[in-house]
Amino acid sequence: MKYLTAFIFFLLAAVNAQSRELSHVESNTLYKVNQFLKQENHDAALQLIQPLFEQQKPHPTVFKYGCKLLTDTAAQTQALHCWTHAYELYPDDLSLAINLADSLLRADQHQRVIDVLSPLLVSKSDQALLLQARYIIGYAYYQLAQYQAVIEILSISPVKQHWWPLISYSQLALEHWLEAKSSAQQWLKSAPDNLAAWQILARSEMGLDNPKAAAVAIDIARLVGGQKALINVNLLGNLKAYNLAVECITQSQAASKRFTTQDYTCAQYAWLSGEYQKALDFMQSFSIEAKLNPTLYNDYYLLQGQLFAALKQNIKAINAWGKVGKHPLILSTAKEIKYARQKRNQQQGQALLLMGQHYWLAQQWPEAKACYRKLAQTPGFEVIAKTFEQNLTAYGLYE
């Protein structure tokens, strides 16, 4: 875990509603301090602002400039003393309290962070600052290994996306596997390529005794971690992580090899993720006549037709589906030929169903009838083909 500097901001121009206005001297001095800060002349700025701290009760904005200056120059002990003094004078100023909390975190004084910020959560201050304070308290609890307290302080609706790491890690520490899984999934909604979120999901699935789901999450973690060669695309698909699985397209070198099963799977996931044109361009980048694996002939044209249909290129879709089932079987053993024939019949039936649906929606009844007649001759599709034919006749769509 890192310090929360990225989440802390300083309201340098803000004026506490209950405090006095900046004096003329303070205003002029802070203006000059700001000019030095723009020039990155921190020593001159610090020397200039120092006399303002000698007042009995410096203005809050003086602290917000001066204490921040000490923080930025790595004078952490002095900065902590500065923020503490500011908080003692203005205990209701939430922005000062948050900056004190940040300084306390740097000093590993986590319990003091909780003591300072917790009473302020009931105030009616700026809601953005209150949410920030709540997160800092949760971080402090986490550093103290008080994991249930982390979950309780951050479990408000709606949970902020950057809170999920603290929540899910705390749930892991408590072995609340189901809750950790849910948190990781919520985290991934906003950060689908976050390595830690996938790791938490994997650990949660292991805790829930779901080894296959854990393997999927681990595989995806390898992908987002940059270990692309180790990725099993089929596992990505099992989790419906199509937006990640489609990355395999960029790893393919279509010009130098045949269209393989892996390439087909990549194109299929691009289709499932809605990237129709990307999938089609990828498939057509292969020289099909020379490089199409014969065992993928029907798969290729069946998917190509679906992509054309999704892109409203209906004639091209029909032409692609019309090629399904036309490729000769590869000579092999009797058992393999039998299996290949069954698969070809299944794919041809799917293509005819898609063609018939297209013709039906286009109100091209004779063409639809012809498709269903051919479908009736395809093993395994006789019943559904007859049903469609009967519907055409019953609706008076074809005589």
Side-chain angles (χ1 to χ4, degrees), residues 77-363:
T77 301
Q78 293 174 276
L80 178 56
H81 176 75
C82 182
W83 289 119
T84 300
H85 183 43
Y87 175 70
E88 290 171 348
L89 293 177
Y90 302 100
D92 296 327
D93 190 315
L94 186 54
S95 66
L96 287 176
I98 287 178
N99 286 302
L100 170 59
D102 177 55
S103 192
L104 290 168
L105 286 177
R106 294 169 186 271
D108 294 327
Q109 298 186 36
H110 303 110
Q111 186 57 54
R112 279 197 64 196
V113 170
I114 297 167
D115 295 340
V116 167
L117 293 181
S118 293
L120 300 177
L121 293 182
V122 298
S123 70
K124 296 182 179 179
S125 301
D126 185 291
Q127 289 302 306
L129 287 177
L130 289 174
L131 289 173
Q132 196 173 8
R134 185 177 291 274
Y135 178 77
I136 296 172
I137 294 170
Y139 179 83
Y141 275 130
Y142 187 86
Q143 297 304 309
L144 293 170
Q146 298 182 30
Y147 303 119
Q148 187 59 44
V150 174
I151 296 169
E152 291 174 358
I153 196 70
L154 297 181
S155 294
I156 62 173
S157 183
V159 173
K160 299 300 177 182
Q161 288 300 322
H162 66 275
W163 293 6
W164 288 118
L166 281 181
I167 294 172
S168 55
Y169 276 117
S170 296
Q171 290 164 335
L172 280 188
L174 295 170
E175 298 188 0
H176 294 173
W177 308 122
L178 191 59
E179 291 83 352
K181 174 182 176 179
S182 176
S183 295
Q185 289 172 330
Q186 292 296 320
W187 186 0
L188 287 167
K189 287 183 179 180
S190 63
D193 59 348
N194 189 284
L195 175 61
W198 285 111
Q199 291 172 332
I200 290 174
L201 181 60
R203 183 66 187 91
S204 302
E205 295 288 13
M206 290 172 65
L208 292 168
D209 196 24
N210 297 328
K212 291 185 178 179
V216 172
I218 290 171
D219 218 45
I220 297 174
R222 288 172 178 164
L223 171 64
V224 299
Q227 302 176 36
K228 297 182 183 299
L230 301 177
I231 295 307
N232 184 322
V233 176
N234 291 313
L235 288 179
L236 292 168
N238 289 341
L239 199 63
K240 295 184 173 59
Y242 306 131
N243 60 322
L244 295 175
V246 75
E247 289 300 318
C248 62
I249 283 182
T250 61
Q251 301 176 47
S252 177
Q253 297 178 355
S256 62
K257 64 182 183 64
R258 296 162 71 93
F259 187 83
T260 65
T261 301
Q262 178 72 10
D263 298 319
Y264 169 73
T265 303
C266 288
Q268 190 175 47
Y269 285 141
W271 169 56
L272 291 170
S273 65
E275 298 192 44
Y276 308 127
Q277 191 62 57
K278 184 174 184 178
L280 188 59
D281 291 344
F282 172 66
M283 294 179 70
Q284 293 183 322
S285 66
F286 291 85
S287 177
I288 298 307
E289 296 302 322
K291 303 200 177 214
L292 180 59
N293 186 327
T295 60
L296 292 173
Y297 183 92
N298 295 321
D299 293 300
Y300 181 93
Y301 286 110
L302 188 62
L303 178 56
Q304 188 188 59
Q306 290 170 303
L307 291 169
F308 277 131
L311 293 169
K312 309 300 182 185
Q313 299 179 33
N314 297 323
I315 294 177
K316 290 183 178 180
I318 291 292
N319 290 337
W321 289 327
K323 295 178 182 180
V324 177
K326 301 297 179 62
H327 197 279
L329 295 176
I330 300 175
L331 294 179
S332 184
T333 65
K335 183 177 180 180
E336 290 173 342
I337 292 175
K338 179 181 178 182
Y339 171 77
R341 183 179 289 111
Q342 290 174 341
K343 183 179 178 181
R344 184 179 66 179
N345 289 338
Q346 181 68 24
Q347 292 169 321
Q348 188 172 31
Q350 292 174 355
L352 288 168
L353 274 174
L354 290 168
M355 292 169 66
Q357 181 186 43
H358 165 78
Y359 287 132
W360 187 305
L361 294 175
Q363 298 185 7

Side-chain angles (χ1 to χ4, degrees), residues 346-384:
Q346 181 68 24
Q347 292 169 321
Q348 188 172 31
Q350 292 174 355
L352 288 168
L353 274 174
L354 290 168
M355 292 169 66
Q357 181 186 43
H358 165 78
Y359 287 132
W360 187 305
L361 294 175
Q363 298 185 7
Q364 295 177 265
W365 314 123
E367 291 82 356
K369 183 80 169 182
C371 275
Y372 295 136
R373 281 180 175 172
K374 189 172 183 180
L375 185 63
Q377 300 169 13
T378 305
F381 291 87
E382 299 91 343
V383 175
I384 190 170

Side-chain angles (χ1 to χ4, degrees), residues 31-42 45 65:
Y31 175 79
K32 294 175 182 178
V33 167
N34 194 47
Q35 297 305 306
F36 281 127
L37 291 176
K38 289 180 179 179
Q39 301 169 14
E40 298 186 3
N41 191 342
H42 296 97
Y65 268 91

Side-chain angles (χ1 to χ4, degrees), residues 60-71:
T61 307
V62 172
F63 284 110
K64 290 167 184 174
Y65 268 91
C67 300
K68 181 182 185 298
L69 187 54
L70 291 170
T71 301

